[in-house]
Amino acid sequence: CGSGLSGDYISDEGHYWIGMDISPAMLEVAVEREVEGDLLLADVGHGIPFRPGMFDGCISISAVQWLCNADKKSHSPPKRLYRFFSTLYTALAQGSRAVLQLYPENSEQLELITAQAMRAGFTGGMVVDYPNSAKAKKFFLCLFVGVSGTLPKGLGTDCAGGEEIHQAKFTNERTRFRNTKGKSVKKSRDWILEKKERRRRQGKEVRADTKYTGRKRRPRF
């Protein structure tokens, strides 16, 4: 889960989440950012340490390919991948999905990851966005638990009759918290009140709401 940037979006959508990461430094950043999710220091190659059927879904961004590396003599990439996928399958509820975005080094690595996922009981497959672009190309392993679902269509795959493939647009501008869906803009009073209420429902200690909550401070002299 790194520093929890993706977790912020999950929280804004009204979901509860638990993040795992092998790096204490990244989790410390997440704690400093006061992310809403619970954090766990763990190596996913050792498995997902939760009770069966606990989660409604799983999201992973640029992490699974690291299980293909043997950082220690005791590390076996096929065994670590199978351990990860088999325990993930158990932790997910029936009918749920897992979407794992990854950057495989080669086709052999991609085949190894997919094979271990299917061996663990998952159904599904690989979806590739912008397959003809070196910069925007992304791989998504879309997995289903219990029932076979329909794989989504990769972006930028339509190219009929000489139509131009629209590539992803990259920009340095951050637009995640624009009020495009009528939701509270980040750091506004409404956004702060919503966040405090979610933290209360999670049983966390939160300061009482006052007329000063969310009020901007005047600039110092």
Side-chain angles (χ1 to χ4, degrees), residues 79 81-91 116-117 120-122:
K79 290 183 179 179
L81 282 165
Y82 179 73
R83 178 68 178 168
F84 165 67
F85 283 118
S86 60
T87 53
L88 175 62
Y89 185 90
T90 302
Q116 296 304 93
F122 284 105

Side-chain angles (χ1 to χ4, degrees), residues 24-51:
M26 294 298 290
L27 293 177
E28 286 176 5
V29 174
V31 172
E32 291 174 0
R33 295 181 59 250
E34 296 184 350
V35 297
E36 306 247 346
D38 295 318
L39 305 172
L40 178 66
L41 177 64
D43 177 2
V44 295
H46 294 163
I48 306 297
F50 296 100
R51 61 181 173 82

Side-chain angles (χ1 to χ4, degrees), residues 10 15 29 41 76 79 91 95 111 160 165 168 174 177 197 202:
I10 297 173
H15 303 293
V29 174
L41 177 64
S76 169
K79 290 183 179 179
E111 184 177 351
I165 296 179
R174 299 193 64 174
F177 293 105
E197 184 60 32
Q202 294 173 358

Side-chain angles (χ1 to χ4, degrees), residues 126-130 140 142 150-159:
M126 195 68 63
V127 176
V128 183
D129 281 355
Y130 305 104
F140 297 87
C142 300
T150 303
L151 287 175
K153 194 171 184 179
L155 300 177
T157 56
D158 293 329
C159 187

Side-chain angles (χ1 to χ4, degrees), residues 49-63:
F50 296 100
R51 61 181 173 82
M54 183 173 177
F55 296 98
D56 298 318
C58 171
I59 299 173
S60 174
I61 301 175
S62 187

Side-chain angles (χ1 to χ4, degrees), residues 174-191:
R174 299 193 64 174
T175 60
R176 186 178 65 197
F177 293 105
R178 282 186 178 177
N179 197 7
T180 57
K181 296 183 180 179
K183 295 187 177 181
S184 303
V185 180
K186 188 175 184 181
K187 301 300 183 183
S188 67
R189 177 179 170 82
D190 290 340
W191 182 88

